[in-house]
């Protein structure tokens, strides 16, 4: 009983990210360890000769012609809503939003790509399908409510009835648009629109950068790179609990994002996936923070209605693409299982059930509030998968796996299938 009573304050402190990250050594080692070893695995894959192997899953997706569209899809899927919805109130007085999101970007990219490489080889395993479903539930219960909350936050809604109505309206809009995107395979087009909207919002923020309220902001950390130059984020890597909490949230949706990488990367080499995924997210991060610095989305309302609407639309668009990519992987899993068992249900029925379920879950989470502790502890169930993914990726780089079951083919095999020689910089132009 005494042990239990001692652990309760510890868990409460973990839920509110109180104290130092070193106060939670197990979680710190697990989540930062996953990031570190995934990063090492990505380096191995990038420099390995086997990194030239090309993704080829004939039953998944046609080759995306445009590299810009492919990079936009990776950026929108990986980033979700976290980049646009940076919370300055939680981050400015520690190491600044810029520093947090830069490391968060590297962390989520390496973990999701590592999961994607392993997903190529385990795409049809029952255990992977179950983990994918859990990943969608946990991951979207973190990102989608964040999008809706951040959109509503500057409006200061006091009435419970109006708040619930706003929550339901926003979630329904997310679900309907994502369902249409999945049904008509519009994610490529939506992703491009997201990037264009992101650029427009960035320009609008830049033109009003001197009008935002700096009340409560640590102006000594507001410039991009400033904290990094002083070495501050490096010193706080082990002491600030936000680092490993960020990685915990990444782990929560790494499984379905990894499966989406496997789904949309036909015709791209492993090295290209790493290159395009990393570059697209870093460029996105740089653009956003060169303009907004540590101000984040939540201060946009002080710059007027036009800026608020633009940032809200950008947040909205990124949330829809996150929901789209997650739903696409789940729909593929359910449809494939249904066909293997000769069930006579149409994919449209599965899509409706998926969207309604996700919508209801997110409305309940938004209205009742979500717990950081839930994410931190529940995401431990994904660690064994990611540990296997890291080991598999390193073995892949060393040529120690059965490549016939890896979901990849050699350049020569690709030539025989497609009739053309893929160029290193342009695999995506061949259908």
């Amino acid at each position: 009983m005494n042990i239990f009573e001692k652990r309760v304050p510890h868990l409460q402190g973990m839920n509110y990210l109180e104290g130092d990250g070193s106060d939670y050594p197990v979680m710190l080692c697990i989540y930062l360890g996953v990031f570190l070893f995934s990063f090492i695995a990505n380096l191995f894959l990038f420099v390995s000769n086997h990194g030239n192997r090309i993704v080829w899953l004939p039953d998944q997706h046609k080759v995306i012609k445009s590299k810009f569209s492919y990079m936009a899809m990776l950026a929108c899927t990986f980033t979700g809503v976290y980049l646009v919805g940076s919370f300055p109130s939680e981050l400015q007085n520690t190491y600044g939003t810029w520093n947090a999101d830069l490391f968060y970007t590297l962390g989520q990219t390496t973990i999701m790509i590592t999961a994607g490489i392993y997903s190529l080889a385990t795409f049809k395993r029952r255990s992977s399908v179950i983990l994918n479903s859990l990943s969608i539930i946990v991951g979207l219960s973190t990102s989608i409510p964040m999008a809706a909350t951040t959109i509503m936050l500057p409006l200061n809604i006091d009435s419970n009835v109006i708040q619930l109505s706003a929550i339901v309206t926003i979630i329904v809009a997310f679900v309907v648009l994502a369902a249409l995107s999945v049904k008509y395979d519009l994610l490529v087009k939506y992703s491009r629109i997201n990037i264009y909207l992101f650029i427009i919002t960035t320009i609008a923020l830049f033109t009003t950068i001197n009008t935002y309220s700096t009340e409560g902001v640590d102006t000594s950390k507001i410039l991009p790179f400033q904290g990094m130059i002083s070495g501050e984020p490096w010193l706080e890597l082990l002491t600030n609990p936000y680092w490993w909490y960020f990685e915990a949230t990444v782990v929560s949706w790494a499984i379905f994002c990894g499966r989406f990488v496997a789904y949309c990367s036909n015709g791209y080499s492993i090295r290209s996936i790493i290159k395009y995924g990393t570059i697209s997210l870093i460029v996105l991060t740089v653009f956003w923070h060169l303009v907004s610095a540590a101000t984040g989305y939540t201060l946009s309302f002080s710059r007027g209605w036009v800026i608020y609407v633009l940032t809200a639309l950008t947040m909205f668009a990124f949330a829809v693409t996150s929901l789209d990519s997650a739903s696409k992987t789940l729909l593929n899993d359910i449809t494939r299982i249904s066909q293997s068992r000769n069930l006579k249900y149409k994919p449209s029925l599965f899509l409706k059930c998926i969207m309604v379920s996700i919508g209801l879950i997110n409305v309940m989470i938004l209205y009742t509030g979500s717990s950081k502790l839930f994410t931190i502890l529940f995401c431990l169930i994904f660690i064994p998968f990611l540990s296997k993914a890291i080991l598999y990726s390193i073995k892949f780089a060393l040529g120690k796996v059965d490549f016939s079951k890896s979901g990849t083919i050699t350049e020569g095999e690709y030539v025989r299938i497609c009739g053309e020689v893929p160029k290193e910089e342009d695999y995506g132009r061949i259908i």
Side-chain angles (χ1 to χ4, degrees):
M1 181 63 69
N2 290 333
I3 296 176
F4 179 76
E5 291 177 350
K6 289 180 180 179
R7 301 310 297 173
V8 170
H10 183 77
L11 293 174
Q12 290 175 337
M14 186 188 298
N15 185 55
Y16 295 104
L17 302 183
E18 295 174 345
D20 290 340
S22 54
D23 293 336
Y24 317 102
V26 175
M27 297 302 173
L28 180 73
C29 292
I30 289 175
Y31 287 116
L32 285 184
V34 168
F35 157 59
L36 177 62
F37 286 110
S38 292
F39 182 74
I40 293 172
N42 274 220
L43 287 179
F44 269 80
L45 288 166
F46 192 79
V47 301
S48 169
N49 289 333
H50 300 292
N52 290 322
R53 292 187 66 89
I54 301 165
V55 174
W56 192 251
L57 296 173
D59 60 337
Q60 292 308 312
H61 199 285
K62 65 181 181 181
V63 177
I64 300 170
K65 298 179 182 179
S66 166
K67 286 185 291 184
F68 174 77
S69 296
Y70 178 69
M71 292 175 70
M73 288 179 69
L74 292 183
C76 292
T77 301
F78 286 3
T79 301
V81 297
Y82 278 93
L83 175 61
V84 188
S86 303
F87 279 97
S89 61
E90 294 180 342
L91 301 173
Q92 285 162 346
N93 294 320
T94 52
Y95 39 76
T97 309
W98 164 268
N99 302 322
D101 277 340
L102 181 63
F103 282 98
Y104 175 73
T105 297
L106 291 175
Q108 68 178 352
T109 305
T110 55
I111 291 175
M112 291 176 184
I113 289 176
T114 303
I117 303 305
Y118 189 52
S119 292
L120 289 167
T122 61
F123 214 90
K124 297 183 179 181
R125 291 184 187 175
R126 182 178 300 177
S127 59
S128 296
V129 173
I130 294 172
L131 280 178
N132 182 45
S133 303
L134 291 174
S135 174
I136 290 172
I137 293 172
V138 180
L140 293 184
S141 69
T142 304
S143 61
I144 299 302
M146 178 183 176
T149 300
T150 312
I151 290 171
M152 295 188 300
L153 188 61
L155 301 178
N156 296 317
I157 300 173
D158 294 326
S159 171
N160 289 333
V161 175
I162 296 176
Q163 184 182 36
L164 179 59
S165 300
I167 288 172
V168 172
T169 301
I170 292 173
I171 295 299
V172 168
F174 284 162
V175 167
V176 170
L177 285 177
L180 290 173
S181 180
V182 171
K183 182 177 181 179
Y184 296 106
D185 205 13
L186 299 176
L187 186 57
V188 174
K189 183 181 295 185
Y190 267 157
S191 297
R192 290 199 299 265
I193 293 174
N194 281 9
I195 300 302
Y196 296 144
L197 182 59
F198 185 87
I199 293 172
I200 294 171
T201 306
T202 301
I203 294 172
L205 284 169
F206 182 77
T207 60
T208 59
I209 199 168
N210 62 338
T211 65
Y212 64 81
S213 170
T214 58
E215 182 180 356
V217 176
D218 185 349
T219 55
S220 68
K221 302 173 183 177
I222 202 169
L223 295 176
F225 297 112
Q226 187 166 336
M228 299 185 73
I229 291 174
S230 69
E232 186 175 342
W234 308 98
L235 297 176
E236 294 191 359
L237 182 61
L238 297 179
T239 60
N240 198 294
Y242 278 100
W243 288 112
W244 59 267
Y245 174 63
F246 280 168
E247 298 311 318
T249 60
V250 170
V251 166
S252 71
W253 54 352
I255 311 301
F256 76 77
C257 282
R259 291 174 77 80
F260 187 75
V261 169
Y263 166 77
C264 72
S265 295
N266 267 359
Y268 286 84
S269 69
I270 300 298
R271 183 177 289 118
S272 293
I273 295 173
I274 297 172
K275 177 172 62 178
Y276 293 148
T278 304
I279 289 176
S280 61
L281 278 187
I282 288 179
V283 168
L284 215 60
T285 307
V286 168
F287 266 99
W288 186 251
H289 289 289
L290 282 178
V291 175
S292 67
T295 61
Y297 168 85
T298 52
L299 294 181
S300 67
F301 202 69
S302 65
R303 308 192 200 184
W305 277 96
V306 174
I307 302 301
Y308 168 75
V309 170
L310 281 173
T311 47
L313 285 174
T314 304
M315 174 70 73
F316 191 93
F318 273 72
V320 170
T321 49
S322 296
L323 182 55
D324 180 309
S325 56
S327 303
K328 192 75 173 180
T329 63
L330 188 55
L331 180 63
N332 286 347
D333 287 341
I334 295 175
T335 302
R336 186 176 63 251
I337 293 171
S338 174
Q339 291 174 346
S340 66
R341 297 186 177 182
N342 295 319
L343 300 177
K344 304 300 181 181
Y345 298 112
K346 295 182 179 179
S348 58
L349 176 62
F350 295 134
L351 179 59
K352 292 175 183 176
C353 293
I354 290 170
M355 289 303 180
V356 169
S357 301
I358 291 176
L360 290 174
I361 290 171
N362 280 283
V363 167
M364 288 188 292
I365 290 173
L366 266 172
Y367 192 68
T368 59
S370 58
S371 169
K372 292 184 177 68
L373 187 62
F374 167 78
T375 301
I376 294 167
L377 295 179
F378 196 86
C379 290
L380 292 174
I381 65 173
F382 304 121
I383 298 300
F385 176 91
L386 290 173
S387 299
K388 292 179 181 178
I390 292 168
L391 290 174
Y392 179 85
S393 296
I394 293 175
K395 289 181 179 179
F396 188 105
L398 298 175
K400 303 296 185 180
V401 301
D402 183 356
F403 287 113
S404 66
K405 299 178 181 179
S406 68
T408 63
I409 56 178
T410 64
E411 187 174 321
E413 291 171 324
Y414 188 84
V415 171
R416 288 195 294 273
I417 293 171
C418 300
E420 297 184 44
V421 179
K423 298 178 181 179
E424 172 60 26
E425 295 299 321
D426 202 11
Y427 286 127
R429 292 190 181 278
I430 302 173
I431 298 180

